[in-house]
Amino acid sequence: MTSKNTTEHCPAEGLLKMLSGKWKPQIFRLALDGAVRFNSLLRQIEGSNKQSIAVALKELEEQGLLDKVVIKLKPLHIEYTLSEKGQSLIPVFRQLESLL
């Protein structure tokens, strides 16, 4: 059995792999409550820095867990929201949280 098949049969394992990396679990958890912005993440995640947050957001977007939305009102800003895939993993995330 390939690792891809194993991941498909175990949503928790797949989610853990996608959320591995600095600040990804914290960003995902904050996105559960609604849209998040870069600067608010910097303020809310103690010890984070611009580069690590930027990398984590990009990877979460590439993995299909977050959608990037450009708000074209002045001032222009970007919000990140859970994608459909990200929303589908909320029950798995909540179950993992409950184990701690």
Side-chain angles (χ1 to χ4, degrees):
M1 186 182 302
T2 66
S3 63
K4 183 174 181 187
N5 287 339
T6 303
T7 302
E8 288 173 2
H9 294 300
C10 182
E13 182 181 345
L15 180 60
L16 288 170
K17 285 181 181 179
M18 286 186 274
L19 293 181
S20 67
K22 200 161 193 165
W23 312 124
K24 286 183 188 179
Q26 293 90 331
I27 293 170
F28 188 87
R29 182 178 45 79
L30 290 168
L32 294 174
D33 297 328
V36 293
R37 292 189 190 177
F38 185 85
N39 284 331
S40 71
L41 291 172
L42 280 175
R43 286 190 301 272
Q44 291 178 297
I45 301 175
E46 192 174 323
S48 67
N49 61 54
K50 288 181 179 182
Q51 182 178 353
S52 61
I53 293 293
V55 168
L57 285 169
K58 182 179 180 186
E59 290 176 0
L60 288 167
E61 186 183 1
E62 288 173 351
Q63 293 165 331
L65 295 179
L66 291 181
D67 288 329
K68 180 178 178 177
V69 180
V70 178
I71 308 296
K72 295 183 180 179
L73 300 173
K74 291 194 179 188
L76 181 86
H77 59 276
I78 297 171
E79 293 181 343
Y80 295 87
T81 58
L82 286 181
S83 66
E84 193 172 314
K85 179 180 178 180
Q87 291 175 9
S88 73
L89 293 170
I90 291 172
V92 178
F93 186 80
R94 293 283 192 218
Q95 190 171 12
L96 289 171
E97 273 188 321
S98 73
L99 296 174
L100 301 175

